[in-house]
Amino acid sequence: VFYPSPLNRLDTFFGFNKLFQKHFKTEPLRATLLAYIPPMGSFFLYRTIAGHFPFLLIAFVPWVLLFFLNRHEKRSWVGFGLVLSLMIWTSLHYTTIMSMSVICIWFFYELCARAAKAIRKIGKFSIIDLRTDILFFTKAFCLAITLSAYPLYYTLTFIVDYPRTESMNREPYTGILRGLHAIWGVEPYNHPASLPTGWGWAEASTYIGLGSLVALALIGVSYAVKLRASKTKKTQLELFTYSPLIIIALFITFFLLGMGNFSSFSPFAIL
């Protein structure tokens, strides 16, 4: 089911372009420039060069988000279910898990915001108000599970027949220098001798985790400055339709997933 790389990049580009323009109402030039980042980013290029083809699943991410964010449209559940089933057929990989994490966190935030608004306005919030959302997820997940029954069944039986008898080998911390070189280096397999070698779980906590933390800090500072400058104290940063709480929740979730089994408190180590 894997896409050839050129088709994957095109699909990723057009998916993010459509997501930015249709849902976030981004003007065409800005949407086009932003859409180039995911398929051409060094992280995904380096991963596919190394043979980690499940990372090509990024092509499906913008479509999953687009169908979810437009879930009140009539046939959006069909698109969501089909894309999710394709992701499962391709690989039950990090990208699939993280995509569903984004959906769950985003929906939970919207649910809380909707409930708070209803309580302020009429003093109560009913589960009946969620019937459209409940139907969307129910139909979409039933479709995805039905279409993906074979690989799911095979995976479960394989786990039962071949249980893991020993823990994963723990990899050394890659270091900040290695992380910076991994992002901006020219050749992924020609590192200076002074840098540690090997690619593994630790890099997620190194340059992805630290990079996300820096981005989160910049977003928080920008938001605080914008909010303080507003006389009403309610204006949000123009880049966001949603609260920065979503960004914080996503960062914490991805940081925990990126820990692998290094920490005894990581989800994988606990499992």
Side-chain angles (χ1 to χ4, degrees):
V1 184
F2 286 126
Y3 279 138
S5 187
L7 178 59
N8 172 271
R9 292 187 196 175
L10 279 175
D11 196 24
T12 307
F13 169 78
F14 284 117
F16 277 103
N17 195 312
K18 189 172 182 64
L19 175 66
F20 288 132
Q21 290 199 49
K22 180 176 179 179
H23 184 78
F24 295 107
K25 310 302 180 186
T26 310
E27 54 93 12
L29 177 59
R30 182 179 296 179
T32 301
L33 295 175
L34 288 172
Y36 270 110
I37 297 174
M40 301 305 292
S42 61
F43 173 75
F44 291 97
L45 290 181
Y46 282 9
R47 281 301 201 172
T48 52
I49 288 173
H52 295 182
F53 298 118
F55 281 91
L56 295 177
L57 280 167
I58 189 178
F60 297 121
V61 172
W63 300 105
V64 168
L65 287 174
L66 184 63
F67 288 123
F68 162 72
L69 293 171
N70 294 278
R71 60 189 178 279
H72 297 290
E73 294 183 0
K74 190 174 182 180
R75 301 296 181 191
S76 57
W77 67 272
V78 177
F80 187 92
L82 287 174
V83 174
L84 179 56
S85 66
L86 281 173
M87 295 178 78
I88 295 173
W89 265 100
T90 302
S91 176
L92 284 171
H93 189 251
Y94 251 152
T95 312
T96 308
I97 298 171
M98 289 186 170
S99 297
M100 294 305 103
S101 299
V102 171
I103 300 301
C104 292
I105 292 172
W106 211 318
F107 178 65
F108 182 72
Y109 166 78
E110 288 190 355
L111 176 62
C112 293
R114 197 186 309 173
K117 184 177 180 181
I119 292 172
R120 286 196 306 267
K121 189 174 181 180
I122 62 176
K124 64 178 182 178
F125 179 72
S126 174
I127 193 69
I128 299 176
D129 299 330
L130 299 175
R131 57 185 178 275
T132 303
D133 296 311
I134 293 173
L135 284 174
F136 170 83
F137 286 116
T138 301
K139 293 187 291 186
F141 282 121
C142 285
L143 177 62
I145 292 173
T146 300
L147 295 175
S148 310
Y150 175 76
L152 289 174
Y153 173 77
Y154 180 82
T155 302
L156 291 174
T157 54
F158 184 88
I159 292 173
V160 172
D161 293 339
Y162 301 95
R164 182 184 293 275
T165 56
E166 57 184 27
S167 62
M168 293 174 59
N169 294 325
R170 298 184 181 274
E171 300 170 2
Y173 179 69
T174 56
I176 296 176
L177 184 60
R178 164 76 177 182
L180 293 175
H181 188 84
I183 296 177
W184 290 291
V186 178
E187 218 311 307
Y189 296 110
N190 189 25
H191 297 294
S194 60
L195 290 175
T197 58
W199 291 77
W201 290 102
E203 70 210 11
S205 299
T206 306
Y207 61 88
I208 298 176
L210 293 175
S212 301
L213 185 61
V214 172
L216 179 64
L218 293 174
I219 290 171
V221 170
S222 301
Y223 180 81
V225 170
K226 185 75 175 180
L227 197 61
R228 189 170 184 178
S230 171
K231 294 181 180 179
T232 62
K233 301 290 184 180
K234 291 182 179 179
T235 302
Q236 287 189 340
L237 185 64
E238 292 178 359
L239 289 174
F240 296 95
T241 308
Y242 300 93
S243 166
L245 290 175
I246 289 186
I247 307 295
I248 296 173
L250 290 175
F251 167 74
I252 293 173
T253 302
F254 292 165
F255 185 81
L256 289 174
L257 290 174
M259 289 170 68
N261 73 331
F262 284 94
S263 169
S264 54
F265 297 104
S266 72
F268 286 94
I270 293 172
L271 289 173

mmCIF file of all heavy atoms in Angstrom, residues 170-188:
data_model
loop_
_atom_site.group_PDB
_atom_site.id
_atom_site.type_symbol
_atom_site.label_atom_id
_atom_site.label_comp_id
_atom_site.label_asym_id
_atom_site.label_seq_id
_atom_site.Cartn_x
_atom_site.Cartn_y
_atom_site.Cartn_z
ATOM 1 N N ARG A 170 18.108 -0.612 25.155
ATOM 2 C CA ARG A 170 18.037 0.833 25.362
ATOM 3 C C ARG A 170 19.173 1.501 24.599
ATOM 4 O O ARG A 170 20.327 1.093 24.687
ATOM 5 C CB ARG A 170 18.103 1.162 26.853
ATOM 6 C CG ARG A 170 16.921 0.570 27.614
ATOM 7 C CD ARG A 170 16.951 0.989 29.074
ATOM 8 N NE ARG A 170 15.845 0.401 29.787
ATOM 9 C CZ ARG A 170 14.630 0.939 29.849
ATOM 10 N NH1 ARG A 170 14.396 2.078 29.234
ATOM 11 N NH2 ARG A 170 13.662 0.346 30.517
ATOM 12 N N GLU A 171 18.844 2.565 23.861
ATOM 13 C CA GLU A 171 19.840 3.251 23.050
ATOM 14 C C GLU A 171 20.387 4.456 23.813
ATOM 15 O O GLU A 171 19.695 5.037 24.648
ATOM 16 C CB GLU A 171 19.207 3.706 21.732
ATOM 17 C CG GLU A 171 18.675 2.550 20.914
ATOM 18 C CD GLU A 171 17.833 3.018 19.742
ATOM 19 O OE1 GLU A 171 17.712 4.244 19.566
ATOM 20 O OE2 GLU A 171 17.305 2.168 19.027
ATOM 21 N N PRO A 172 21.615 4.870 23.516
ATOM 22 C CA PRO A 172 22.200 6.009 24.227
ATOM 23 C C PRO A 172 21.551 7.323 23.796
ATOM 24 O O PRO A 172 21.041 7.453 22.689
ATOM 25 C CB PRO A 172 23.671 5.968 23.798
ATOM 26 C CG PRO A 172 23.641 5.300 22.452
ATOM 27 C CD PRO A 172 22.549 4.287 22.539
ATOM 28 N N TYR A 173 21.566 8.296 24.679
ATOM 29 C CA TYR A 173 21.056 9.628 24.367
ATOM 30 C C TYR A 173 21.889 10.233 23.252
ATOM 31 O O TYR A 173 23.122 10.192 23.284
ATOM 32 C CB TYR A 173 21.125 10.503 25.633
ATOM 33 C CG TYR A 173 20.637 11.909 25.436
ATOM 34 C CD1 TYR A 173 19.289 12.164 25.216
ATOM 35 C CD2 TYR A 173 21.523 12.970 25.484
ATOM 36 C CE1 TYR A 173 18.830 13.455 25.045
ATOM 37 C CE2 TYR A 173 21.071 14.261 25.325
ATOM 38 C CZ TYR A 173 19.727 14.509 25.109
ATOM 39 O OH TYR A 173 19.276 15.798 24.947
ATOM 40 N N THR A 174 21.242 10.774 22.232
ATOM 41 C CA THR A 174 21.978 11.217 21.047
ATOM 42 C C THR A 174 22.685 12.543 21.232
ATOM 43 O O THR A 174 23.644 12.844 20.538
ATOM 44 C CB THR A 174 21.024 11.340 19.848
ATOM 45 O OG1 THR A 174 19.966 12.230 20.193
ATOM 46 C CG2 THR A 174 20.469 9.997 19.463
ATOM 47 N N GLY A 175 22.169 13.393 22.131
ATOM 48 C CA GLY A 175 22.815 14.686 22.353
ATOM 49 C C GLY A 175 22.282 15.777 21.455
ATOM 50 O O GLY A 175 21.766 15.536 20.358
ATOM 51 N N ILE A 176 22.393 17.018 21.916
ATOM 52 C CA ILE A 176 21.857 18.168 21.183
ATOM 53 C C ILE A 176 22.602 18.379 19.868
ATOM 54 O O ILE A 176 21.997 18.670 18.834
ATOM 55 C CB ILE A 176 21.940 19.439 22.059
ATOM 56 C CG1 ILE A 176 21.038 19.286 23.286
ATOM 57 C CG2 ILE A 176 21.531 20.680 21.260
ATOM 58 C CD1 ILE A 176 21.109 20.435 24.253
ATOM 59 N N LEU A 177 23.925 18.232 19.881
ATOM 60 C CA LEU A 177 24.716 18.439 18.663
ATOM 61 C C LEU A 177 24.290 17.477 17.568
ATOM 62 O O LEU A 177 24.135 17.858 16.401
ATOM 63 C CB LEU A 177 26.205 18.267 18.972
ATOM 64 C CG LEU A 177 27.170 18.557 17.813
ATOM 65 C CD1 LEU A 177 27.011 19.995 17.338
ATOM 66 C CD2 LEU A 177 28.617 18.306 18.251
ATOM 67 N N ARG A 178 24.080 16.227 17.950
ATOM 68 C CA ARG A 178 23.623 15.213 16.990
ATOM 69 C C ARG A 178 22.238 15.582 16.448
ATOM 70 O O ARG A 178 21.958 15.449 15.258
ATOM 71 C CB ARG A 178 23.574 13.858 17.698
ATOM 72 C CG ARG A 178 22.773 12.789 16.995
ATOM 73 C CD ARG A 178 23.501 12.202 15.821
ATOM 74 N NE ARG A 178 22.726 11.139 15.219
ATOM 75 C CZ ARG A 178 23.125 10.410 14.199
ATOM 76 N NH1 ARG A 178 24.297 10.628 13.666
ATOM 77 N NH2 ARG A 178 22.361 9.477 13.696
ATOM 78 N N GLY A 179 21.403 16.076 17.342
ATOM 79 C CA GLY A 179 20.062 16.464 16.925
ATOM 80 C C GLY A 179 20.073 17.602 15.926
ATOM 81 O O GLY A 179 19.358 17.576 14.926
ATOM 82 N N LEU A 180 20.889 18.614 16.187
ATOM 83 C CA LEU A 180 20.989 19.747 15.259
ATOM 84 C C LEU A 180 21.528 19.294 13.908
ATOM 85 O O LEU A 180 21.065 19.724 12.856
ATOM 86 C CB LEU A 180 21.895 20.834 15.855
ATOM 87 C CG LEU A 180 21.367 21.536 17.104
ATOM 88 C CD1 LEU A 180 22.415 22.501 17.666
ATOM 89 C CD2 LEU A 180 20.079 22.295 16.797
ATOM 90 N N HIS A 181 22.520 18.405 13.939
ATOM 91 C CA HIS A 181 23.080 17.913 12.682
ATOM 92 C C HIS A 181 22.055 17.076 11.914
ATOM 93 O O HIS A 181 22.022 17.091 10.686
ATOM 94 C CB HIS A 181 24.328 17.071 12.957
ATOM 95 C CG HIS A 181 25.070 16.686 11.717
ATOM 96 N ND1 HIS A 181 25.985 17.518 11.112
ATOM 97 C CD2 HIS A 181 25.016 15.565 10.946
ATOM 98 C CE1 HIS A 181 26.464 16.925 10.032
ATOM 99 N NE2 HIS A 181 25.903 15.737 9.917
ATOM 100 N N ALA A 182 21.206 16.357 12.649
ATOM 101 C CA ALA A 182 20.186 15.528 12.007
ATOM 102 C C ALA A 182 19.179 16.389 11.250
ATOM 103 O O ALA A 182 18.643 15.980 10.226
ATOM 104 C CB ALA A 182 19.475 14.683 13.053
ATOM 105 N N ILE A 183 18.910 17.596 11.774
ATOM 106 C CA ILE A 183 17.951 18.482 11.108
ATOM 107 C C ILE A 183 18.580 19.171 9.910
ATOM 108 O O ILE A 183 18.013 19.209 8.823
ATOM 109 C CB ILE A 183 17.427 19.545 12.104
ATOM 110 C CG1 ILE A 183 16.648 18.867 13.228
ATOM 111 C CG2 ILE A 183 16.526 20.548 11.381
ATOM 112 C CD1 ILE A 183 16.169 19.824 14.282
ATOM 113 N N TRP A 184 19.791 19.756 10.097
ATOM 114 C CA TRP A 184 20.367 20.587 9.039
ATOM 115 C C TRP A 184 21.568 19.967 8.339
ATOM 116 O O TRP A 184 22.204 20.605 7.508
ATOM 117 C CB TRP A 184 20.778 21.943 9.637
ATOM 118 C CG TRP A 184 19.579 22.758 10.007
ATOM 119 C CD1 TRP A 184 18.680 23.337 9.155
ATOM 120 C CD2 TRP A 184 19.128 23.080 11.322
ATOM 121 N NE1 TRP A 184 17.696 23.983 9.864
ATOM 122 C CE2 TRP A 184 17.938 23.852 11.194
ATOM 123 C CE3 TRP A 184 19.592 22.793 12.600
ATOM 124 C CZ2 TRP A 184 17.229 24.335 12.293
ATOM 125 C CZ3 TRP A 184 18.894 23.269 13.690
ATOM 126 C CH2 TRP A 184 17.737 24.033 13.537
ATOM 127 N N GLY A 185 21.895 18.726 8.670
ATOM 128 C CA GLY A 185 23.027 18.086 8.025
ATOM 129 C C GLY A 185 22.763 17.823 6.547
ATOM 130 O O GLY A 185 21.621 17.717 6.108
ATOM 131 N N VAL A 186 23.830 17.699 5.759
ATOM 132 C CA VAL A 186 23.689 17.490 4.319
ATOM 133 C C VAL A 186 23.474 16.012 4.001
ATOM 134 O O VAL A 186 22.619 15.651 3.218
ATOM 135 C CB VAL A 186 24.951 18.012 3.590
ATOM 136 C CG1 VAL A 186 24.832 17.754 2.092
ATOM 137 C CG2 VAL A 186 25.124 19.501 3.856
ATOM 138 N N GLU A 187 24.237 15.140 4.626
ATOM 139 C CA GLU A 187 24.202 13.706 4.332
ATOM 140 C C GLU A 187 23.972 12.932 5.622
ATOM 141 O O GLU A 187 24.777 13.003 6.538
ATOM 142 C CB GLU A 187 25.539 13.284 3.732
ATOM 143 C CG GLU A 187 25.497 12.251 2.609
ATOM 144 C CD GLU A 187 24.657 11.024 2.902
ATOM 145 O OE1 GLU A 187 24.842 10.360 3.928
ATOM 146 O OE2 GLU A 187 23.796 10.716 2.081
ATOM 147 N N PRO A 188 22.872 12.197 5.732
ATOM 148 C CA PRO A 188 22.564 11.529 7.001
ATOM 149 C C PRO A 188 23.526 10.417 7.393
ATOM 150 O O PRO A 188 23.568 10.037 8.540
ATOM 151 C CB PRO A 188 21.162 10.974 6.764
ATOM 152 C CG PRO A 188 21.059 10.820 5.286
ATOM 153 C CD PRO A 188 21.853 11.948 4.716
#
